[in-house]
């Protein structure tokens, strides 16, 4: 770890708690790697924290093949930062959770990726080879653009499954370690 820990912000929308649970596991991984982590819901954003973070990880549920309205509103509210290029050069990554195995989660990650590119951010995907397809395997959905998790329309206390949550920890740790390499 460097003498000065890097700052990573995780900003998410989670009306039912599943995406928040995943966000918390990403935070665990990033903290494990020594990052200073800030976690916030898009409905209570601290813009100053986002502006000063070295990396921002964006996450939301997948609804009907798209991102949630609250995440879209957050993106639109960032327009002054887009114009000023405030986030240009920051590391960015994304994650999404949905009830189905697909649910078109890739479309949401693409939307988040395009948003980050509009801001001039540097995107990191999930460079983890899938270890299988069971609920205990890492990257079981074979996603490389970002983290995908599945809640299977079950209560937040029992889902997403262990493998998805372990992948979230891996992702957070990877992003924090990557920050130390590129900054």
């Amino acid at each position: 770890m460097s003498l000065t820990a890097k700052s990573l912000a995780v900003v998410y929308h989670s009306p039912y708690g599943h995406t928040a649970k995943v966000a918390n596991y990403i935070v665990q991984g990033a903290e494990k790697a020594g990052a200073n982590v800030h976690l916030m819901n898009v409905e209570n954003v601290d813009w100053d924290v986002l502006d000063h973070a070295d990396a921002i990880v964006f996450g939301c549920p997948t609804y009907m093949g798209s991102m949630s309205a609250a995440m879209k509103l957050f993106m639109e509210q960032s327009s002054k930062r887009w114009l000023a290029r405030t986030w240009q050069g920051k590391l960015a990554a994304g994650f999404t959770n949905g009830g189905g195995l697909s649910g078109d989660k890739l479309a949401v990650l693409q939307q988040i990726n395009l948003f980050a590119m509009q801001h001039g951010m540097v995107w990191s995907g999930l460079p983890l080879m899938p270890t299988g397809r069971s609920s205990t395997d890492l990257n079981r959905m074979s996603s490389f653009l970002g983290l995908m998790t599945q809640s299977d329309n079950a209560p937040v206390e029992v889902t997403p499954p262990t493998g998805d949550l372990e992948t979230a920890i891996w992702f957070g740790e990877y992003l924090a370690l990557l920050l130390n390499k590129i900054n």
Side-chain angles (χ1 to χ4, degrees):
M1 188 175 96
S2 66
L3 294 175
T4 305
K6 301 298 180 183
S7 173
L8 186 142
V10 179
V11 60
Y12 67 91
H13 178 238
S14 184
Y16 297 105
H18 300 93
T19 307
K21 185 175 183 178
V22 174
N24 278 289
Y25 277 78
I26 292 170
V27 166
Q28 286 178 35
E31 288 177 340
K32 179 179 170 184
N36 290 324
V37 185
H38 305 277
L39 180 66
M40 66 187 80
N41 190 310
V42 296
E43 295 169 343
N44 190 20
V45 174
D46 186 333
W47 293 102
D48 190 54
V49 167
L50 295 179
D51 293 347
H52 290 94
D54 297 302
I56 305 174
V57 184
F58 305 97
C60 68
T62 297
Y63 288 156
M64 304 300 291
S66 190
M67 66 178 53
S68 62
M71 179 56 80
K72 179 67 172 135
L73 178 61
F74 159 80
M75 290 176 170
E76 291 172 3
Q77 291 170 338
S78 75
S79 63
K80 289 180 182 175
R81 284 147 179 84
W82 169 81
L83 186 60
R85 308 316 290 156
T86 305
W87 296 348
Q88 186 168 317
K90 290 182 186 291
L91 184 65
F95 66 101
T96 188
N97 179 79
L101 272 175
S102 172
D104 295 315
K105 290 180 189 79
L106 179 59
V108 172
L109 290 177
Q110 290 168 330
Q111 291 168 327
I112 295 170
N113 172 258
L114 182 57
F115 167 75
M117 296 298 95
Q118 287 281 323
H119 275 276
M121 300 176 85
V122 178
W123 186 261
S124 175
L126 176 67
L128 175 64
M129 291 298 291
T131 62
R133 288 183 242 148
S134 81
S135 63
T136 58
D137 290 321
L138 296 179
N139 196 15
R140 68 188 176 102
M141 289 181 230
S142 302
S143 176
F144 295 99
L145 187 59
L147 174 65
M148 292 182 190
T149 61
Q150 179 194 13
S151 61
D152 202 26
N153 295 321
V156 71
E157 296 80 24
V158 298
T159 191
T162 306
D164 291 3
L165 298 174
E166 291 296 322
T167 305
I169 291 171
W170 189 98
F171 192 43
E173 185 174 8
Y174 169 78
L175 292 171
L177 293 172
L178 182 59
L179 262 180
N180 283 323
K181 286 183 178 180
I182 62 175
N183 284 331

mmCIF file of all heavy atoms in Angstrom, residues 76-116:
data_model
loop_
_atom_site.group_PDB
_atom_site.id
_atom_site.type_symbol
_atom_site.label_atom_id
_atom_site.label_comp_id
_atom_site.label_asym_id
_atom_site.label_seq_id
_atom_site.Cartn_x
_atom_site.Cartn_y
_atom_site.Cartn_z
ATOM 1 N N GLU A 76 -27.971 12.776 -14.701
ATOM 2 C CA GLU A 76 -28.336 14.082 -15.251
ATOM 3 C C GLU A 76 -27.906 15.212 -14.319
ATOM 4 O O GLU A 76 -27.493 16.279 -14.773
ATOM 5 C CB GLU A 76 -29.839 14.128 -15.527
ATOM 6 C CG GLU A 76 -30.238 13.218 -16.670
ATOM 7 C CD GLU A 76 -31.732 13.085 -16.865
ATOM 8 O OE1 GLU A 76 -32.506 13.749 -16.137
ATOM 9 O OE2 GLU A 76 -32.135 12.298 -17.743
ATOM 10 N N GLN A 77 -27.960 14.971 -13.023
ATOM 11 C CA GLN A 77 -27.557 15.994 -12.058
ATOM 12 C C GLN A 77 -26.047 16.240 -12.064
ATOM 13 O O GLN A 77 -25.583 17.243 -11.528
ATOM 14 C CB GLN A 77 -28.020 15.603 -10.650
ATOM 15 C CG GLN A 77 -29.517 15.667 -10.483
ATOM 16 C CD GLN A 77 -29.995 15.060 -9.175
ATOM 17 O OE1 GLN A 77 -29.317 14.237 -8.561
ATOM 18 N NE2 GLN A 77 -31.189 15.466 -8.756
ATOM 19 N N SER A 78 -25.288 15.357 -12.683
ATOM 20 C CA SER A 78 -23.836 15.519 -12.742
ATOM 21 C C SER A 78 -23.396 16.396 -13.915
ATOM 22 O O SER A 78 -22.201 16.558 -14.154
ATOM 23 C CB SER A 78 -23.149 14.152 -12.855
ATOM 24 O OG SER A 78 -23.288 13.617 -14.165
ATOM 25 N N SER A 79 -24.324 17.002 -14.625
ATOM 26 C CA SER A 79 -24.001 17.723 -15.858
ATOM 27 C C SER A 79 -23.024 18.882 -15.658
ATOM 28 O O SER A 79 -22.200 19.157 -16.533
ATOM 29 C CB SER A 79 -25.275 18.212 -16.557
ATOM 30 O OG SER A 79 -25.966 19.139 -15.743
ATOM 31 N N LYS A 80 -23.079 19.565 -14.519
ATOM 32 C CA LYS A 80 -22.112 20.647 -14.275
ATOM 33 C C LYS A 80 -20.701 20.086 -14.169
ATOM 34 O O LYS A 80 -19.737 20.719 -14.614
ATOM 35 C CB LYS A 80 -22.479 21.430 -13.013
ATOM 36 C CG LYS A 80 -23.717 22.282 -13.187
ATOM 37 C CD LYS A 80 -24.052 23.051 -11.928
ATOM 38 C CE LYS A 80 -25.330 23.851 -12.135
ATOM 39 N NZ LYS A 80 -25.774 24.521 -10.915
ATOM 40 N N ARG A 81 -20.565 18.897 -13.601
ATOM 41 C CA ARG A 81 -19.261 18.253 -13.520
ATOM 42 C C ARG A 81 -18.796 17.801 -14.894
ATOM 43 O O ARG A 81 -17.610 17.850 -15.196
ATOM 44 C CB ARG A 81 -19.325 17.069 -12.546
ATOM 45 C CG ARG A 81 -19.321 17.558 -11.129
ATOM 46 C CD ARG A 81 -20.101 16.715 -10.171
ATOM 47 N NE ARG A 81 -19.985 17.304 -8.841
ATOM 48 C CZ ARG A 81 -20.759 18.296 -8.403
ATOM 49 N NH1 ARG A 81 -21.699 18.782 -9.145
ATOM 50 N NH2 ARG A 81 -20.571 18.800 -7.200
ATOM 51 N N TRP A 82 -19.729 17.363 -15.722
ATOM 52 C CA TRP A 82 -19.396 16.984 -17.094
ATOM 53 C C TRP A 82 -18.841 18.195 -17.849
ATOM 54 O O TRP A 82 -17.794 18.107 -18.488
ATOM 55 C CB TRP A 82 -20.647 16.432 -17.796
ATOM 56 C CG TRP A 82 -20.476 16.268 -19.266
ATOM 57 C CD1 TRP A 82 -19.853 15.226 -19.904
ATOM 58 C CD2 TRP A 82 -20.912 17.162 -20.283
ATOM 59 N NE1 TRP A 82 -19.875 15.429 -21.263
ATOM 60 C CE2 TRP A 82 -20.520 16.620 -21.521
ATOM 61 C CE3 TRP A 82 -21.593 18.375 -20.274
ATOM 62 C CZ2 TRP A 82 -20.789 17.240 -22.734
ATOM 63 C CZ3 TRP A 82 -21.864 18.993 -21.480
ATOM 64 C CH2 TRP A 82 -21.462 18.427 -22.687
ATOM 65 N N LEU A 83 -19.526 19.310 -17.751
ATOM 66 C CA LEU A 83 -19.107 20.517 -18.450
ATOM 67 C C LEU A 83 -17.745 21.012 -17.957
ATOM 68 O O LEU A 83 -16.887 21.397 -18.747
ATOM 69 C CB LEU A 83 -20.157 21.619 -18.289
ATOM 70 C CG LEU A 83 -19.912 22.903 -19.081
ATOM 71 C CD1 LEU A 83 -19.856 22.627 -20.580
ATOM 72 C CD2 LEU A 83 -21.003 23.919 -18.775
ATOM 73 N N ALA A 84 -17.528 20.955 -16.656
ATOM 74 C CA ALA A 84 -16.264 21.424 -16.069
ATOM 75 C C ALA A 84 -15.150 20.374 -16.164
ATOM 76 O O ALA A 84 -14.010 20.664 -15.830
ATOM 77 C CB ALA A 84 -16.480 21.810 -14.605
ATOM 78 N N ARG A 85 -15.478 19.148 -16.592
ATOM 79 C CA ARG A 85 -14.530 18.025 -16.692
ATOM 80 C C ARG A 85 -13.965 17.659 -15.319
ATOM 81 O O ARG A 85 -12.838 17.208 -15.179
ATOM 82 C CB ARG A 85 -13.395 18.323 -17.688
ATOM 83 C CG ARG A 85 -13.825 18.788 -19.067
ATOM 84 C CD ARG A 85 -14.965 18.029 -19.707
ATOM 85 N NE ARG A 85 -14.610 16.674 -20.102
ATOM 86 C CZ ARG A 85 -15.491 15.697 -20.246
ATOM 87 N NH1 ARG A 85 -16.774 15.904 -20.050
ATOM 88 N NH2 ARG A 85 -15.113 14.512 -20.601
ATOM 89 N N THR A 86 -14.777 17.819 -14.280
ATOM 90 C CA THR A 86 -14.366 17.575 -12.901
ATOM 91 C C THR A 86 -13.908 16.140 -12.669
ATOM 92 O O THR A 86 -12.982 15.899 -11.889
ATOM 93 C CB THR A 86 -15.529 17.917 -11.940
ATOM 94 O OG1 THR A 86 -15.953 19.249 -12.192
ATOM 95 C CG2 THR A 86 -15.125 17.779 -10.489
ATOM 96 N N TRP A 87 -14.547 15.179 -13.308
ATOM 97 C CA TRP A 87 -14.224 13.774 -13.074
ATOM 98 C C TRP A 87 -13.283 13.199 -14.126
ATOM 99 O O TRP A 87 -12.969 12.005 -14.088
ATOM 100 C CB TRP A 87 -15.497 12.944 -13.013
ATOM 101 C CG TRP A 87 -16.402 13.297 -11.867
ATOM 102 C CD1 TRP A 87 -16.114 14.086 -10.777
ATOM 103 C CD2 TRP A 87 -17.753 12.863 -11.685
ATOM 104 N NE1 TRP A 87 -17.187 14.165 -9.933
ATOM 105 C CE2 TRP A 87 -18.223 13.426 -10.469
ATOM 106 C CE3 TRP A 87 -18.611 12.060 -12.418
ATOM 107 C CZ2 TRP A 87 -19.504 13.204 -9.975
ATOM 108 C CZ3 TRP A 87 -19.890 11.834 -11.945
ATOM 109 C CH2 TRP A 87 -20.331 12.400 -10.735
ATOM 110 N N GLN A 88 -12.830 13.997 -15.044
ATOM 111 C CA GLN A 88 -11.950 13.518 -16.106
ATOM 112 C C GLN A 88 -10.689 12.889 -15.510
ATOM 113 O O GLN A 88 -10.069 13.464 -14.618
ATOM 114 C CB GLN A 88 -11.567 14.668 -17.026
ATOM 115 C CG GLN A 88 -10.766 14.224 -18.237
ATOM 116 C CD GLN A 88 -10.658 15.330 -19.263
ATOM 117 O OE1 GLN A 88 -11.632 16.009 -19.546
ATOM 118 N NE2 GLN A 88 -9.477 15.511 -19.791
ATOM 119 N N GLY A 89 -10.345 11.715 -15.983
ATOM 120 C CA GLY A 89 -9.151 11.014 -15.525
ATOM 121 C C GLY A 89 -9.345 10.148 -14.297
ATOM 122 O O GLY A 89 -8.455 9.387 -13.931
ATOM 123 N N LYS A 90 -10.497 10.230 -13.649
ATOM 124 C CA LYS A 90 -10.768 9.367 -12.484
ATOM 125 C C LYS A 90 -11.051 7.948 -12.971
ATOM 126 O O LYS A 90 -11.615 7.742 -14.040
ATOM 127 C CB LYS A 90 -11.998 9.846 -11.718
ATOM 128 C CG LYS A 90 -11.849 11.142 -10.978
ATOM 129 C CD LYS A 90 -13.138 11.460 -10.216
ATOM 130 C CE LYS A 90 -13.084 12.812 -9.573
ATOM 131 N NZ LYS A 90 -12.144 12.887 -8.462
ATOM 132 N N LEU A 91 -10.716 6.982 -12.149
ATOM 133 C CA LEU A 91 -11.064 5.602 -12.430
ATOM 134 C C LEU A 91 -12.565 5.424 -12.220
ATOM 135 O O LEU A 91 -13.122 5.966 -11.263
ATOM 136 C CB LEU A 91 -10.290 4.655 -11.510
ATOM 137 C CG LEU A 91 -10.486 3.161 -11.751
ATOM 138 C CD1 LEU A 91 -9.944 2.752 -13.115
ATOM 139 C CD2 LEU A 91 -9.794 2.358 -10.645
ATOM 140 N N ALA A 92 -13.215 4.694 -13.109
ATOM 141 C CA ALA A 92 -14.649 4.413 -13.001
ATOM 142 C C ALA A 92 -14.894 2.921 -13.201
ATOM 143 O O ALA A 92 -14.149 2.251 -13.915
ATOM 144 C CB ALA A 92 -15.425 5.209 -14.050
ATOM 145 N N ALA A 93 -15.950 2.434 -12.573
ATOM 146 C CA ALA A 93 -16.384 1.051 -12.749
ATOM 147 C C ALA A 93 -17.876 1.000 -12.452
ATOM 148 O O ALA A 93 -18.445 1.952 -11.907
ATOM 149 C CB ALA A 93 -15.619 0.117 -11.807
ATOM 150 N N GLY A 94 -18.506 -0.132 -12.810
ATOM 151 C CA GLY A 94 -19.940 -0.240 -12.608
ATOM 152 C C GLY A 94 -20.384 -1.625 -12.178
ATOM 153 O O GLY A 94 -19.695 -2.613 -12.403
ATOM 154 N N PHE A 95 -21.575 -1.655 -11.574
ATOM 155 C CA PHE A 95 -22.171 -2.928 -11.185
ATOM 156 C C PHE A 95 -23.692 -2.801 -11.242
ATOM 157 O O PHE A 95 -24.244 -1.712 -11.164
ATOM 158 C CB PHE A 95 -21.714 -3.367 -9.788
ATOM 159 C CG PHE A 95 -22.154 -2.499 -8.646
ATOM 160 C CD1 PHE A 95 -23.223 -2.869 -7.843
ATOM 161 C CD2 PHE A 95 -21.488 -1.323 -8.350
ATOM 162 C CE1 PHE A 95 -23.626 -2.081 -6.770
ATOM 163 C CE2 PHE A 95 -21.877 -0.528 -7.276
ATOM 164 C CZ PHE A 95 -22.952 -0.906 -6.483
ATOM 165 N N THR A 96 -24.327 -3.942 -11.411
ATOM 166 C CA THR A 96 -25.784 -3.977 -11.454
ATOM 167 C C THR A 96 -26.282 -5.297 -10.888
ATOM 168 O O THR A 96 -25.586 -6.316 -10.925
ATOM 169 C CB THR A 96 -26.317 -3.750 -12.883
ATOM 170 O OG1 THR A 96 -27.754 -3.614 -12.829
ATOM 171 C CG2 THR A 96 -25.942 -4.868 -13.832
ATOM 172 N N ASN A 97 -27.489 -5.263 -10.360
ATOM 173 C CA ASN A 97 -28.143 -6.442 -9.806
ATOM 174 C C ASN A 97 -29.534 -6.541 -10.407
ATOM 175 O O ASN A 97 -30.183 -5.525 -10.653
ATOM 176 C CB ASN A 97 -28.258 -6.313 -8.280
ATOM 177 C CG ASN A 97 -28.954 -7.509 -7.675
ATOM 178 O OD1 ASN A 97 -28.367 -8.561 -7.498
ATOM 179 N ND2 ASN A 97 -30.227 -7.363 -7.352
ATOM 180 N N GLY A 98 -29.960 -7.752 -10.657
ATOM 181 C CA GLY A 98 -31.307 -7.962 -11.174
ATOM 182 C C GLY A 98 -31.848 -9.300 -10.737
ATOM 183 O O GLY A 98 -31.105 -10.164 -10.278
ATOM 184 N N GLY A 99 -33.145 -9.466 -10.900
ATOM 185 C CA GLY A 99 -33.792 -10.697 -10.483
ATOM 186 C C GLY A 99 -33.483 -11.882 -11.369
ATOM 187 O O GLY A 99 -33.365 -13.007 -10.903
ATOM 188 N N GLY A 100 -33.338 -11.660 -12.660
ATOM 189 C CA GLY A 100 -33.098 -12.754 -13.593
ATOM 190 C C GLY A 100 -31.628 -12.962 -13.870
ATOM 191 O O GLY A 100 -30.796 -12.099 -13.592
ATOM 192 N N LEU A 101 -31.302 -14.114 -14.454
ATOM 193 C CA LEU A 101 -29.912 -14.381 -14.809
ATOM 194 C C LEU A 101 -29.385 -13.340 -15.785
ATOM 195 O O LEU A 101 -28.268 -12.878 -15.659
ATOM 196 C CB LEU A 101 -29.765 -15.778 -15.411
ATOM 197 C CG LEU A 101 -29.526 -16.895 -14.418
ATOM 198 C CD1 LEU A 101 -29.526 -18.247 -15.114
ATOM 199 C CD2 LEU A 101 -28.242 -16.698 -13.637
ATOM 200 N N SER A 102 -30.180 -12.977 -16.768
ATOM 201 C CA SER A 102 -29.757 -11.934 -17.700
ATOM 202 C C SER A 102 -30.479 -10.649 -17.352
ATOM 203 O O SER A 102 -29.898 -9.756 -16.759
ATOM 204 C CB SER A 102 -30.041 -12.313 -19.154
ATOM 205 O OG SER A 102 -29.782 -11.204 -19.987
ATOM 206 N N GLY A 103 -31.746 -10.565 -17.725
ATOM 207 C CA GLY A 103 -32.492 -9.342 -17.455
ATOM 208 C C GLY A 103 -31.923 -8.161 -18.210
ATOM 209 O O GLY A 103 -32.267 -7.016 -17.952
ATOM 210 N N ASP A 104 -30.985 -8.442 -19.112
ATOM 211 C CA ASP A 104 -30.282 -7.417 -19.884
ATOM 212 C C ASP A 104 -29.402 -6.532 -19.007
ATOM 213 O O ASP A 104 -29.294 -5.321 -19.210
ATOM 214 C CB ASP A 104 -31.259 -6.611 -20.736
ATOM 215 C CG ASP A 104 -31.913 -7.482 -21.796
ATOM 216 O OD1 ASP A 104 -31.173 -8.260 -22.436
ATOM 217 O OD2 ASP A 104 -33.134 -7.409 -21.962
ATOM 218 N N LYS A 105 -28.732 -7.161 -18.039
ATOM 219 C CA LYS A 105 -27.792 -6.443 -17.183
ATOM 220 C C LYS A 105 -26.673 -5.792 -17.985
ATOM 221 O O LYS A 105 -26.176 -4.724 -17.606
ATOM 222 C CB LYS A 105 -27.196 -7.390 -16.141
ATOM 223 C CG LYS A 105 -28.156 -7.854 -15.080
ATOM 224 C CD LYS A 105 -27.414 -8.783 -14.105
ATOM 225 C CE LYS A 105 -28.349 -9.446 -13.155
ATOM 226 N NZ LYS A 105 -29.045 -10.585 -13.739
ATOM 227 N N LEU A 106 -26.263 -6.434 -19.082
ATOM 228 C CA LEU A 106 -25.204 -5.865 -19.912
ATOM 229 C C LEU A 106 -25.588 -4.481 -20.412
ATOM 230 O O LEU A 106 -24.750 -3.568 -20.452
ATOM 231 C CB LEU A 106 -24.876 -6.783 -21.095
ATOM 232 C CG LEU A 106 -23.792 -6.275 -22.045
ATOM 233 C CD1 LEU A 106 -22.472 -6.057 -21.309
ATOM 234 C CD2 LEU A 106 -23.617 -7.246 -23.200
ATOM 235 N N ALA A 107 -26.855 -4.286 -20.748
ATOM 236 C CA ALA A 107 -27.311 -2.974 -21.219
ATOM 237 C C ALA A 107 -27.105 -1.904 -20.144
ATOM 238 O O ALA A 107 -26.728 -0.767 -20.448
ATOM 239 C CB ALA A 107 -28.787 -3.038 -21.637
ATOM 240 N N VAL A 108 -27.314 -2.253 -18.889
ATOM 241 C CA VAL A 108 -27.122 -1.296 -17.794
ATOM 242 C C VAL A 108 -25.643 -0.969 -17.641
ATOM 243 O O VAL A 108 -25.267 0.201 -17.496
ATOM 244 C CB VAL A 108 -27.729 -1.827 -16.479
ATOM 245 C CG1 VAL A 108 -27.372 -0.931 -15.310
ATOM 246 C CG2 VAL A 108 -29.240 -1.946 -16.623
ATOM 247 N N LEU A 109 -24.791 -1.995 -17.676
ATOM 248 C CA LEU A 109 -23.356 -1.727 -17.581
ATOM 249 C C LEU A 109 -22.877 -0.861 -18.748
ATOM 250 O O LEU A 109 -22.022 0.008 -18.570
ATOM 251 C CB LEU A 109 -22.567 -3.031 -17.513
ATOM 252 C CG LEU A 109 -22.716 -3.824 -16.221
ATOM 253 C CD1 LEU A 109 -21.942 -5.135 -16.311
ATOM 254 C CD2 LEU A 109 -22.270 -3.014 -15.016
ATOM 255 N N GLN A 110 -23.445 -1.082 -19.920
ATOM 256 C CA GLN A 110 -23.089 -0.242 -21.069
ATOM 257 C C GLN A 110 -23.531 1.200 -20.851
ATOM 258 O O GLN A 110 -22.810 2.136 -21.200
ATOM 259 C CB GLN A 110 -23.692 -0.815 -22.351
ATOM 260 C CG GLN A 110 -23.031 -2.097 -22.781
ATOM 261 C CD GLN A 110 -23.789 -2.827 -23.881
ATOM 262 O OE1 GLN A 110 -25.008 -2.742 -23.992
ATOM 263 N NE2 GLN A 110 -23.047 -3.552 -24.712
ATOM 264 N N GLN A 111 -24.705 1.383 -20.259
ATOM 265 C CA GLN A 111 -25.185 2.745 -19.970
ATOM 266 C C GLN A 111 -24.268 3.438 -18.961
ATOM 267 O O GLN A 111 -23.927 4.612 -19.129
ATOM 268 C CB GLN A 111 -26.624 2.696 -19.428
ATOM 269 C CG GLN A 111 -27.642 2.278 -20.460
ATOM 270 C CD GLN A 111 -28.996 1.947 -19.839
ATOM 271 O OE1 GLN A 111 -29.094 1.450 -18.728
ATOM 272 N NE2 GLN A 111 -30.057 2.228 -20.572
ATOM 273 N N ILE A 112 -23.869 2.715 -17.927
ATOM 274 C CA ILE A 112 -22.973 3.286 -16.925
ATOM 275 C C ILE A 112 -21.613 3.587 -17.552
ATOM 276 O O ILE A 112 -21.018 4.641 -17.310
ATOM 277 C CB ILE A 112 -22.836 2.351 -15.705
ATOM 278 C CG1 ILE A 112 -24.179 2.222 -14.968
ATOM 279 C CG2 ILE A 112 -21.751 2.856 -14.752
ATOM 280 C CD1 ILE A 112 -24.196 1.140 -13.888
ATOM 281 N N ASN A 113 -21.126 2.669 -18.379
ATOM 282 C CA ASN A 113 -19.849 2.860 -19.057
ATOM 283 C C ASN A 113 -19.883 4.104 -19.949
ATOM 284 O O ASN A 113 -18.954 4.921 -19.919
ATOM 285 C CB ASN A 113 -19.506 1.615 -19.878
ATOM 286 C CG ASN A 113 -18.291 1.815 -20.751
ATOM 287 O OD1 ASN A 113 -18.435 2.026 -21.956
ATOM 288 N ND2 ASN A 113 -17.116 1.747 -20.173
ATOM 289 N N LEU A 114 -20.932 4.260 -20.713
ATOM 290 C CA LEU A 114 -21.048 5.426 -21.597
ATOM 291 C C LEU A 114 -21.091 6.718 -20.784
ATOM 292 O O LEU A 114 -20.456 7.721 -21.148
ATOM 293 C CB LEU A 114 -22.294 5.301 -22.478
ATOM 294 C CG LEU A 114 -22.511 6.421 -23.488
ATOM 295 C CD1 LEU A 114 -21.318 6.559 -24.417
ATOM 296 C CD2 LEU A 114 -23.782 6.152 -24.284
ATOM 297 N N PHE A 115 -21.798 6.707 -19.673
ATOM 298 C CA PHE A 115 -21.842 7.851 -18.777
ATOM 299 C C PHE A 115 -20.425 8.218 -18.313
ATOM 300 O O PHE A 115 -20.017 9.384 -18.351
ATOM 301 C CB PHE A 115 -22.745 7.528 -17.577
ATOM 302 C CG PHE A 115 -22.641 8.491 -16.433
ATOM 303 C CD1 PHE A 115 -23.225 9.749 -16.510
ATOM 304 C CD2 PHE A 115 -21.968 8.136 -15.270
ATOM 305 C CE1 PHE A 115 -23.142 10.642 -15.434
ATOM 306 C CE2 PHE A 115 -21.886 9.016 -14.205
ATOM 307 C CZ PHE A 115 -22.470 10.279 -14.289
ATOM 308 N N ALA A 116 -19.662 7.219 -17.867
ATOM 309 C CA ALA A 116 -18.287 7.466 -17.410
ATOM 310 C C ALA A 116 -17.417 7.989 -18.548
ATOM 311 O O ALA A 116 -16.597 8.894 -18.349
ATOM 312 C CB ALA A 116 -17.701 6.181 -16.820
#
